[in-house]
């Protein structure tokens, strides 16, 4: 096994990182994808060598490796409009400040730059996250939205992220955007448009998380092929569709997670509708060599039960391609 | 034929009502569902008897009947948050005023009251429209949205619409909300919750438009059965799903209408995925006796070609149930 | 056009045959498949030459041809158990007599023999009908049913029908059983077993009516191929499946026809789920040269509207195969 | 784990209860759902305290618990018409008596009352069973069945079961009817009608067994939601649909279990088409707190192989919901 | 209507062109796509001005236009290996010569050059045809085929067609290859590879014929989008899939056209599984402005019946996009 | 467990048989299906008693049994046309000789006779293999193929294989043809035709390998029923279909195994789309008592990982039918 299987700590940020590391190591995970919230990682301490060393030593103590860090929550605030109570709950006081929307956005952008520097300091080359979006709220396209308004949204994204990505370029780190509703790129064609908006600059790539693709009827496996040079990271979150009764809808009905009337829901990796084996084989085919990270989220299952089970599931299917072509054997002349 | 087939004038408001009436009558429509924008209807003139009589005479001149009027655009502004440029483009100066969001909402609410009064003056008992929603923007449920925030959205809807519905009650008119993304009720379960929020008061019912149900995988026929006592009006708008290629997504990718990469699009009535005949038979079964209105919308087809074709399509399928049970014939003893 | 399109009069038996003939001829039907109930045909008058001539003259007056006659209702009573109020409503007093079940069965059998003789007298070689079944009531297989009980049911069928078929053989007429729930053969494998039970005697064949096949997930087109030497007649009845909502069930829920909660329902020919064109092409392929009969049944549509529409539908698709192979043209050398 | 997983002894009644208990305990089952036939339970001994204590001690010896008892076979005879050889094979001599149908029905009803008393004596509050039906035989709706005949069937059910349920009420026990072909309630809409027929009295609820729902295209998960206040017990029987070849039909073709030409067949729990995980999560959502009982039935597999495997399958998926909401973790501010 | 609807004469080459023109004009076709076989067109007479003028005058007499000519049969022979009796039947004596395979290939290539010159002489800019393939016979990939052998096949194609395409470039005509089994490009990925092999030179594009795409599960509509700059011509041939019975296979079983056991078959345009309306709308979206040509092929229907019906079908759906965007109307401020 | 599970050595012929035996025995396989290439088996030594004994002793050393031997590669060459480099790579020098096609075919036929004799010498009654086909190359049916050409292909097969089968008959061994593209019988209807061509002689039967059936939409389970008297051997090779993106095609696009753009690919047994449990139950139903052989082929997985996993998968599902009927238990009278 050469590709490490890691656990994303984002859904465990209520626990100290030390405890998460202890759990993950105990279950057999190879490493962690650490979130920049809770006490897990503090981007602003990127230049505090002792802090950085301490984090790395924590991992070493548990025999865990580090390949990427994440900062979804602050990335979200970079482009979002409106900025509201939801953001108040996911950013620190430092970013929130007086809550003035533009100020929040700018301070969130600064934190993303710091996150890039922290990644470099930790010796990893990938930061995973969200971009936010000024136009997500127009998704229903009613009241009528002009093409200009849409174009402006992509420009706003580029204007806000290019300076951040300049820092990424400076420190040799890549940003892996997670394609996700509420972001600038949330499906196939918005990803195409987003990459164009940013001029395909190499600092900006994708975190492949298929969970939102399956309920949008996007083929997550073909997605890997088409964006193969931009797959910078892989997150294994799963989704279950439950729309067979004519009443549960695609949009989730504003219902809470685990409500069985939702048309789709996050579910423990391997219990849902993602074609995992096809995907892992496609990762082999496109030469993806990075970590396979389990982003475990399932409001209907105990995470202490689910996280080790997900590891076992992923390990059983995420095997490497064989070294040599197969037909050779069958075709052998006698 | 007892149920009239009408044409909704909302998508024809760039033409004078006289011209729309001339066209519709020429194609064979029985009547119109008239929009309260363009020059079609002005809600503020509800107490101008001459104006009202003039509008009715216009219809009479073309041999058209009137069963319902519509005011989607102002209803939209009643609850929406944010109020922005999109609203600026769909409300009158009188409603927009200085553009202060709360002021816009209140003036829009006043216009909805006037619309009820206009309906009464015109002798019809149904106003079709949208409600707007303060929580539609939370549809992705990320950043995380608390149950309190969702609950507040439904309360906001009730608080804003109850006074409007009081006027509806006063003048004996019903409001038929069109279930639609961007509204408080946009699918099955949000409709259930919305009706609860408003205490199931009889002034508030539904305009059944299946076009948004089919791409959300809601069964529009079962919807009629389950809400049969709230089906106050029927709009025949159609939708075509085009998601077979693994790239076109359910959410439309922020692409313009008629862009073939959209996962779904409005299409001329009868060209899409709505099971029309099943629906018309269900309307017979639940005893719906109101108008069947063609809401024609298709950015890929000329409306002058489509509107008469849609009429022919609807007329061929929207037949009445037979008078007597059928088996009698087969079971006749000899 | 060589294959006649006929109208089955079974669902019109509340009208005098003269009236049905007038209607069918007016709509353009080529002929009738006449039912032996109502005043349409009286099997007991097979030896009344004047009666027979009168019936034929009635058809001639309307320019209609006759290719087959039907006696579903009495055939049903031949094997059924129990015999109850339902049968009282579909057989004549002569067959019902004192209502003693075994007596009813035997008198029904006698009427079937008379029906064969009437067919011969009328100059047609096919009688369509049902067989009834002593074991249909065991379809749920609970309480547990022994293999012996099932075997006995097929034997009972053979014992009761062989003497009837002897008369058919004697007068040169074939019986075309309609595969249908409540009969001895109601799907593919019961048809196989039924033909075995009767020793594949040539007097017993099938009336292909696909309406019950589609809701049982039987492929009606492949059925034609597999039983191609037993397809003695074709009835075009159609069925619409409506099971997409997770609540409407395959078995119909004991609900009345046209109740929209039924999982399936009869529907005007061409409005349902039968793959008609594939079927008509298959009929060409197997060399079926008999009539195409419209058995029109739809409790949700006026029959005076539906019957002519069904004729138009069938005529547009039931075209003959071309005389010569097609490729010849493309392959022409220059 | 708080919900016990039990084994239904109905398919093991050829073995002494002691032996079944030994097997079930050895495989790790938590308890039994004991059938009132074979030597397992004798309802007529409900007032024999020693007998009752002996049965409970037998369970205790094997460390098994008791939550419900079953009497499908006698319940079946309460409403059935006709009563025939099939019933002779499933009821005792005491119920069968002289075989007069009405006498059998009344004696079966008496046994159901005794079963309620036995349940109370054993300290359990649920009896599972069937109701039988006077109108199941009309399922094909041909020969034509009048609405009166259907209505009479539901009335007959109410008339026969209300006195039985009075005893249930008296002793504080609930009857859980298993929705099943051949019963008064066999699908969604017949369940609705059945509950109406009995006035929704609380003594009458449902044993959720999804095996017959899947082949009827009823959504067993939505069924749980819609009847959530009537789910009194859960039986895990599974069904495999095999209809892809156009020949195997929905109705099973009167073929024996395990015949591969049947369109559906019972199969070892977890090997079939029931969406078990969705169902178990729905049970969590509706707050079902009773036993999960394995009703193992598969004519193509050895039960000694299947029963322990089914337990393992159910235990792996029937996990409890987590204590606290999940998002809390992700949303933690840093 | 601006896009002409033409009839491809390939399947009518047993008739004189004059007769085909008479028929097509009579049915209302706008023009012809004329085949270079039968007496329709003789490529070798490209420099015979009188012949060319005569052909054009023939069209004029019938009021028909010409937009493209076709030479599938000789194109087929350019790369095929083996060359056998099948080719003997589709090429002229001049091309066949002594039948030596390499000689046949070279003479066929010469005829393709002459065809380009004939197109130029006739004033049209498109030649439709096939390429043949040296590697089609390896489609099963068994006995094992090396990557080298596949690569060689694409090289052979380029080597043989580049000189032909040089002539096309010289005379300003484009070759539109029809993607089709037995050709070098027969599906999506082979089309990608073929265009690479030929260096994407602009003389080589595609004739979009969806009939073979649908049975290969290729999305013909997405195909238009992805190759939008190479869609040089459109042929409307249709295919019906008939694989629901588990016995009819994708590969056709070596059965003759119109045999109902084939898993797919050509069928009259509009009777099959091609999503025609989606396709015509996509043609609007990509700006295709050329002819829509009906390639009518259906071994189960008389062509004299089918060809005019196909024209009516295509004309009803191949409408142009409207001039102006639609939302403008709805969004009008009042 | 009575049916042995064997490993087919064809895909392991690059290893010495001793090594394959060691591996297979170590994983728990019961026996081998040995290929006649590599060093595994040499058909020409059928009369070398010492060689034969040595092979059997090798198996005994590892505790393995032998039930069938295979010679796909030489069988392929018996009918193929053209004979080319692909064959050069799969036959020995002895068969290839000077490479003259007819000579190769005849020498291959001789080897098949020797293979029958070797089977007899080894004490097994089944040889598995391919037939080759002179008409496979016509599968696209273009250029047009006459019915005569197809008929000739089946005759050629019969002419070449009847003499071989005479030897099989002589030595009491059966040939089990594997239905497979590139062979005379590659799907359902070609199998029907092939058996007719050979007069249904009992020496010629089938090796059921479902891998090619699933991508051709043939039902592999129904296939077993329909050809139940010809199922002489079972090979468990699996296939995964990956056609959901509208670009990957049924025919594989001439792409190499494990290329994710192929529409289907071989995959480790149990990872694909074969309905294995249905199939194993059908094997029970038709009374198949021979070996279940794992033909492991998956270019995307290491065979040392896959082969033992496949064994575990097959063993878990290929259980025997129970001894006695099941209902007996449920139906027990009390």
């Amino acid at each position: 096994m050469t590709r490490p299987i890691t656990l994303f700590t984002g859904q465990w940020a209520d626990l100290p990182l030390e405890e998460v590391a202890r759990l993950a190591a105990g279950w057999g995970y190879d490493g962690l994808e650490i979130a920049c919230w809770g006490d897990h990682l503090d981007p602003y301490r990127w230049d505090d060598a002792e802090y950085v060393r301490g984090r790395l030593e924590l991992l070493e103590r548990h025999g865990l490796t580090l390949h990427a860090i994440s900062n979804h929550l602050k990335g979200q605030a970079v482009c979002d409009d409106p900025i509201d109570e939801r953001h108040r709950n996911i950013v620190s006081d430092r970013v929130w400040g007086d809550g003035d929307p533009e100020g929040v956005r700018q301070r969130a952008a600064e934190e993303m730059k710091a996150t890039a520097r922290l990644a470099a300091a930790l010796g990893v080359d990938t930061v995973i996250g969200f971009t936010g979006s000024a136009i997500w709220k127009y998704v229903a396209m009613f009241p009528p939205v002009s093409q200009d308004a849409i174009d402006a949204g992509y420009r706003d994204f580029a204007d806000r992220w290019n300076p951040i990505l300049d820092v990424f370029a400076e420190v040799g780190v890549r940003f892996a955007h997670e394609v996700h509703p509420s972001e600038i790129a949330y499906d196939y064609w918005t990803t195409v448009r987003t990459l164009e908006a940013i001029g395909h600059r190499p600092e900006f790539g994708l975190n492949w998380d298929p969970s939102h693709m399956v309920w949008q009827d996007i083929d997550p496996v073909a997605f890997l092929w088409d964006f193969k040079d931009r797959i910078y990271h892989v997150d294994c979150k799963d989704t279950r569709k439950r729309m067979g009764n004519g009443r549960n809808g695609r949009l989730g009905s504003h219902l809470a997670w685990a409500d069985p009337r939702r048309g789709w829901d996050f579910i423990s990796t391997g219990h849902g509708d993602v074609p995992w084996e096809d995907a892992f084989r496609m990762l082999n085919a496109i030469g993806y060599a990075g970590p396979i990270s389990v982003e475990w989220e399932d409001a209907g299952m105990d995470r202490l039960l689910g996280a080790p089970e997900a590891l076992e599931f992923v390990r059983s299917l995420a095997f490497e391609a064989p070294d040599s072509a197969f037909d050779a054997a069958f075709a052998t002349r006698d």
Side-chain angles (χ1 to χ4, degrees), chain A:
Chain A
M1 190 225 48
T2 63
R3 284 189 310 220
I5 303 180
T6 57
L7 180 70
F8 173 44
T9 73
Q11 281 87 349
W12 309 75
D14 56 323
L15 304 178
L17 183 61
E18 182 87 45
E19 172 65 3
V20 180
R22 192 188 62 76
L23 286 168
W27 292 324
Y29 280 92
D30 300 314
L32 297 180
E33 170 197 348
I34 311 184
C36 290
W37 57 89
D39 88 331
H40 292 200
L41 278 182
D42 180 352
Y44 300 102
R45 300 177 71 180
W46 64 269
D47 55 356
D48 175 346
E50 191 173 354
Y51 173 76
V52 170
R53 191 168 55 247
R55 296 281 95 179
L56 293 173
E57 285 171 358
L58 185 159
L59 291 169
E60 271 171 49
R61 271 200 301 285
H62 295 283
L64 296 168
T65 57
L66 183 68
H67 307 269
I69 66 174
S70 290
N71 202 348
H72 296 75
L73 301 184
K74 292 17 154 297
Q76 183 71 37
V78 171
C79 291
D80 263 14
D81 178 54
I83 293 287
D84 60 24
E85 201 57 21
R86 297 170 300 156
H87 302 84
R88 169 63 285 212
N89 287 326
I90 61 170
V91 300
S92 64
D93 294 344
R94 183 165 176 170
V95 169
W96 185 257
D98 60 1
D100 170 69
E102 188 53 30
V104 172
R105 287 185 202 105
Q106 291 178 11
R107 286 185 293 274
E110 289 311 306
E111 184 168 325
M112 293 314 291
K113 294 176 188 167
T115 306
R117 297 187 194 281
L118 177 60
L122 287 163
V124 303
D125 64 357
T126 309
V127 168
I128 293 129
F130 288 145
T131 59
S133 168
I135 53 176
W136 162 254
K137 60 182 178 285
Y138 299 157
V139 66
M141 298 295 268
F142 190 85
V145 183
S146 68
Q147 191 58 45
D148 282 353
I150 300 299
D151 294 346
Y154 286 105
R155 267 200 313 276
D156 175 75
F157 152 70
D159 291 346
R160 292 183 185 276
W161 277 88
N162 269 322
I164 301 171
L165 295 171
D166 291 342
V167 176
F168 274 77
E170 176 196 326
V171 299
V173 173
R174 310 171 307 177
F175 182 70
H177 168 66
E178 184 173 321
V179 175
H180 187 288
S182 82
E183 311 307 323
I184 192 69
Y186 59 88
D187 66 5
Y188 188 96
W189 298 115
T190 53
T191 300
V192 169
R193 181 78 196 268
T194 295
L195 292 173
E196 286 170 8
I198 209 88
H200 295 93
R201 60 184 297 180
E203 294 80 21
F204 188 87
L206 304 171
N207 175 45
W208 179 81
D209 173 346
S211 59
H212 284 284
M213 297 182 193
V214 294
W215 70 262
Q216 289 187 72
D217 282 347
I218 308 295
D219 179 342
V221 181
F223 190 96
L224 287 171
W225 180 264
D226 287 358
F227 296 104
K228 55 179 168 298
D229 63 337
R230 295 286 153 169
I231 303 301
Y232 290 176
H233 194 262
V234 164
D235 262 9
C236 298
K237 184 144 50 83
D238 208 344
T239 284
R240 174 73 174 149
K241 292 184 280 186
R242 298 185 185 118
M243 276 162 288
N245 64 8
R247 292 182 281 176
N248 296 358
R250 286 270 165 184
L251 298 179
S253 312
H254 276 128
L255 292 164
W257 307 115
D259 190 303
R261 292 168 298 168
R262 290 186 58 86
W264 64 271
D265 207 346
F266 295 121
I267 199 164
S268 184
T269 309
H271 290 234
D273 293 310
V274 172
W276 288 108
E277 184 172 356
D278 290 345
F280 291 136
R281 286 172 181 256
M282 179 60 98
L283 286 169
N284 286 344
I286 66 171
Y288 175 77
I292 305 285
S293 190
V294 172
E295 182 180 358
W296 196 89
E297 184 159 347
D298 181 340
M301 190 180 188
D302 191 308
R303 64 185 174 182
L304 297 179
L305 176 61
E309 190 203 87
L311 172 63
E312 184 181 12
F313 173 80
V314 171
R315 214 181 279 294
S316 73
L317 290 180
F319 43 78
E320 304 284 315
D323 289 336
S324 62
F326 191 73
D327 294 333
F330 200 98
T332 302
R333 296 186 200 174
D334 49 359

